[in-house]
Amino acid sequence: MTLPLDLIMFAALILVILMGYPVAFSIAGVATGFALLGWALGVFDLGLMGALAQRFFAVMTNPVLTAIPLFVLMGVVLEKSRIAEDLLETMGRLFGAMRGGLGVSVMLVGALLAASTGIVGATVVAMGMIALPAMLRNGYNPRLAAGMVATAGTLGQIIPPSTLLIILAEVMSSAFQQAQYAQGKFSVETISVGQTFAAALVPGLLLVVIYIVYILARAWVLPMDAPAMREQRVKPSGAEVMGAILPPVLLIFAVLGAILGGVASPNEAASVGAIGAILLAGLRQGGSRWVIIVGAGALLVLAFAAGLAPVRLQRSDAGAAEYLLAACYGFLALLGIAAIIAALRASFQRGIMLPAMGQTLVVTSMIFATILMASYFSLVFVGLGGEHRVAAILQSLPGGATGALVFAMAFIFILGFFLDFVEISVILLPLLVPPLIIMGHDPIWLAVLIAVNLQTSFLTPPFGFSLFYLRGAAPPEVTTGMIYRGVAPFIGLQIVAMALIWAFPALSTWLPGLVF
C-alpha cells in the first residue's frame, strides 16, 4: 500500500507552523522536502517544478493583488493619524448614557474603522487602549468588555474593503474557472473583487446588528455586566458627531462607491483610498487646511468630470473646446497635487508617514511571501495527487452537496484555531472550493460563507490574532483567560450569522445581483 504523501504533507505543514517557524519558510521547506521524498519514492515528477516560475510571475503581476499594499497603506495611515480615537471618544459620549451604550459605541466604531482601515490589529489595539479602560472604569464585566473589543476589531475582515476579501475573490475566481473547465465549459465566467465586496456588505452589517442586539439584550438581562456610563461627560453636539464620523464615511463612500459603481477597478479605488487617507491625516495633523480642502475638492471634481467628459488631445479633430477643457483639468490636477504635498509634509513632520510606509512594507511582504510559497505548496500537493483525493473525499461524504459543504466549513473552522486566514485561503481553498462548485453551490454565496468562517479564526484560541493584539494592549487586570472566555459568546454569534447566510442566500447574492 502506497503512503498517502499528500495528506502527510498537509499534516506536516500544520505541525511545522505550530512549532513557531516563519510561515513562508515553513511552507517552502515542507513543499521542498515532500517533492524530493515523492521523487525518491517514484510518485512525484520533478518536471512539474518547471511551472513554478510561471506561477510566481502570475502572482506578482496579478492586477487584483496590487490593491493589497494600497489598502494596507490606507488603513495604517488612518490608524496612525488618531482618527480612531476621535471616533471612539465621540461615540462613547453619544451612547454612554444608556445601558450597554459603551458596548454599542465600540461595535459601531469597529464597523466604521473596518470599512475605512480593514486592519484588525490597528482597530483592536486602538480600542484596547481607549475603549477597554473606559468600560472597566464604568463597571463593565471584564470578560464582556474584552470580548467586545476583540470582536469589533475583526469586522475589518468581513466589511469591505478588506485584504481577506481581495485574496478570497482571487482564490474563488480561479476555483470557479477551474470548476467550469472540469464541467466542459470553455466560455467561463469569473468573480470580480467588486462582486465579492458587494456580496459581503450586507452580511457584514448583519453581523454588526447581531452583536449590538446581543449586547443590549445582555445589558437588559444582566444590568451589572454593562451599566450606563458613570462618568459625567457632555453629550457631543451634532457638529462634533459629524466631524468625527464624516471623514471615514466619505472615504468609505469614495472607495466602495467607485468599485460598486463600476467607475474604478479595485486597485484604482485603493489608490483613491490611500490618497484620501493621506489627505485626512494631513488635515488631522495641522496641515494647510484650505489648501488640503480645496485640493481634495478639486480631485473629486476632476474624477467625476473626467469620467463624464474625457479629453483625448491626440485625436485629429480636437478643437479649442477640448484644449480649454484639458487646461481646466490640468489646473484641477495641480490643485490636487498641492493638497497631497501639503498633507504629506504635515504627516512627515509629525512622524506618521515613515512608520506607516514601513508597516505597509512589512504587512505586504508577509502576505505576498505567503501567497507565493502557497502556490509552490499547492503545485507539489497536486503533483502528489492531493487534488483528486480531496475531491474524492468530498464526493464520498454522506448528504451529497450539503454534507460536503458542512464538512468543508467545519474543517475551515477547526483549522482557524491553528492557521492564519491567508494560509487557509491560499493553501486549502483552491483544493476545497472547485469540487463544491461542481456540486452546485453558488460561488458568490460560498465566498461569503467562507469569509465569515475565516473571520472567526481571529477569535478562536490559542492562535487568534485578535486575542494576541488585545493581550498586548489590555490593562494588566484583564487576564488572558478573561479574553478567551469573553470571545466565546461572540464565536457563537459568528456561527449564528453563518447559519442565517446559509438559510437565506439572498443576504449575500441580492446586492451583487442588483449592482452587477
Side-chain angles (χ1 to χ4, degrees):
M1 187 178 81
T2 58
L3 286 171
L5 280 185
D6 47 356
L7 299 182
I8 297 172
M9 178 184 180
F10 196 83
L13 174 64
I14 296 175
L15 180 63
V16 172
I17 290 175
L18 290 179
M19 290 170 68
Y21 292 106
V23 172
F25 296 128
S26 300
I27 297 171
V30 170
T32 302
F34 275 84
L36 293 174
L37 179 61
W39 173 70
L41 295 175
V43 295
F44 182 78
D45 180 9
L46 280 181
L48 285 174
M49 291 300 186
L52 204 55
Q54 188 177 357
R55 281 179 164 236
F56 284 2
F57 182 77
V59 170
M60 297 307 295
T61 57
N62 189 321
V64 172
L65 297 180
T66 56
I68 291 175
L70 292 167
F71 276 128
V72 172
L73 177 64
M74 180 181 84
V76 175
V77 169
L78 284 178
E79 179 254 326
K80 293 192 178 299
S81 60
R82 306 174 77 87
I83 289 174
E85 293 186 18
D86 283 352
L87 259 178
L88 277 169
E89 196 269 340
T90 305
M91 299 297 277
R93 286 161 53 201
L94 184 63
F95 292 103
M98 59 185 281
R99 263 194 245 164
L102 278 175
V104 171
S105 69
V106 164
M107 286 302 167
L108 291 175
V109 170
L112 282 171
L113 293 179
S116 54
T117 69
I119 299 178
V120 170
T123 308
V124 172
V125 170
M127 292 197 291
M129 296 177 69
I130 305 163
L132 185 56
M135 285 191 282
L136 296 177
R137 283 197 306 270
N138 284 278
Y140 269 64
N141 183 318
R143 294 191 297 277
L144 175 62
M148 286 189 293
V149 169
T151 304
T154 67
L155 289 169
Q157 294 307 311
I158 188 63
I159 296 179
S162 82
T163 305
L164 166 61
L165 293 176
I166 294 172
I167 295 173
L168 195 58
E170 177 60 25
V171 170
M172 295 300 294
S173 182
S174 299
F176 189 28
Q177 292 177 58
Q178 186 181 337
Q180 290 172 92
Y181 285 134
Q183 292 170 324
K185 299 177 183 176
F186 296 100
S187 178
V188 296
E189 301 175 39
T190 60
I191 298 172
S192 67
V193 173
Q195 284 175 294
T196 310
F197 280 5
L201 187 57
V202 173
L205 297 177
L206 173 67
L207 265 175
V208 177
V209 171
I210 290 173
Y211 295 152
I212 290 175
V213 168
Y214 168 75
I215 292 165
L216 293 176
R218 182 159 172 173
W220 183 67
V221 175
L222 300 169
M224 298 307 294
D225 274 7
M229 203 177 205
R230 295 174 186 166
E231 301 170 348
Q232 296 300 317
R233 292 192 183 183
V234 179
K235 197 168 184 179
S237 64
E240 285 180 295
V241 173
M242 291 303 293
I245 292 177
L246 203 56
V249 167
L250 286 176
L251 195 60
I252 295 162
F253 179 77
V255 174
L256 283 185
I259 295 174
L260 299 183
V263 177
S265 65
N267 41 9
E268 291 167 344
S271 303
V272 171
I275 291 296
I278 289 170
L279 292 173
L280 286 176
L283 202 59
R284 179 75 170 73
Q285 301 307 314
S288 303
R289 182 178 182 84
W290 286 110
V291 173
I292 295 174
I293 292 174
V294 171
L299 288 175
L300 193 62
V301 171
L302 179 61
F304 280 103
L308 293 172
V311 174
R312 296 179 177 87
L313 296 180
Q314 70 272 24
R315 289 175 50 173
S316 58
D317 60 345
E322 282 78 12
Y323 280 97
L324 180 61
L325 196 57
C328 292
Y329 287 176
F331 179 68
L332 291 173
L334 287 175
L335 288 177
I337 291 170
I340 294 169
I341 292 172
L344 284 172
R345 185 166 175 268
S347 298
F348 273 110
Q349 286 177 342
R350 295 297 181 93
I352 285 177
M353 282 308 299
L354 280 178
M357 292 162 67
Q359 190 173 337
T360 301
L361 181 63
V362 170
V363 172
T364 304
S365 301
M366 179 196 72
I367 291 172
F368 273 88
T370 305
I371 292 174
L372 287 171
M373 292 307 104
S375 178
Y376 176 26
F377 182 93
S378 65
L379 178 66
V380 177
F381 189 81
V382 168
L384 291 172
E387 185 179 29
H388 298 297
R389 190 184 299 275
V390 169
I393 290 172
L394 290 176
Q395 288 167 359
S396 65
L397 290 169
T402 303
L405 184 55
V406 170
F407 170 81
M409 296 298 287
F411 191 39
I412 292 169
F413 182 79
I414 292 168
L415 282 182
F417 282 78
F418 310 105
L419 300 181
D420 178 31
F421 78 92
V422 178
E423 298 146 31
I424 297 174
S425 297
V426 296
I427 296 173
L428 178 66
L429 295 187
L431 305 170
L432 279 181
V433 172
L436 293 173
I437 294 175
I438 291 172
M439 289 178 180
H441 294 297
D442 181 273
I444 292 178
W445 172 73
L446 192 58
V448 175
L449 268 180
I450 292 172
V452 178
N453 201 342
L454 288 174
Q455 181 201 351
T456 312
S457 69
F458 283 87
L459 296 174
T460 46
F463 298 117
F465 277 158
S466 189
L467 310 180
F468 283 132
Y469 293 136
L470 184 57
R471 175 63 278 163
E477 61 266 26
V478 178
T479 65
T480 303
M482 287 178 180
I483 295 173
Y484 283 5
R485 290 194 295 274
V487 297
F490 293 95
I491 294 172
L493 294 175
Q494 293 278 131
I495 296 171
V496 169
M498 279 190 277
L500 288 173
I501 296 167
W502 191 315
F504 304 101
L507 289 170
S508 56
T509 58
W510 168 75
L511 186 57
L514 180 69
V515 174
F516 294 94

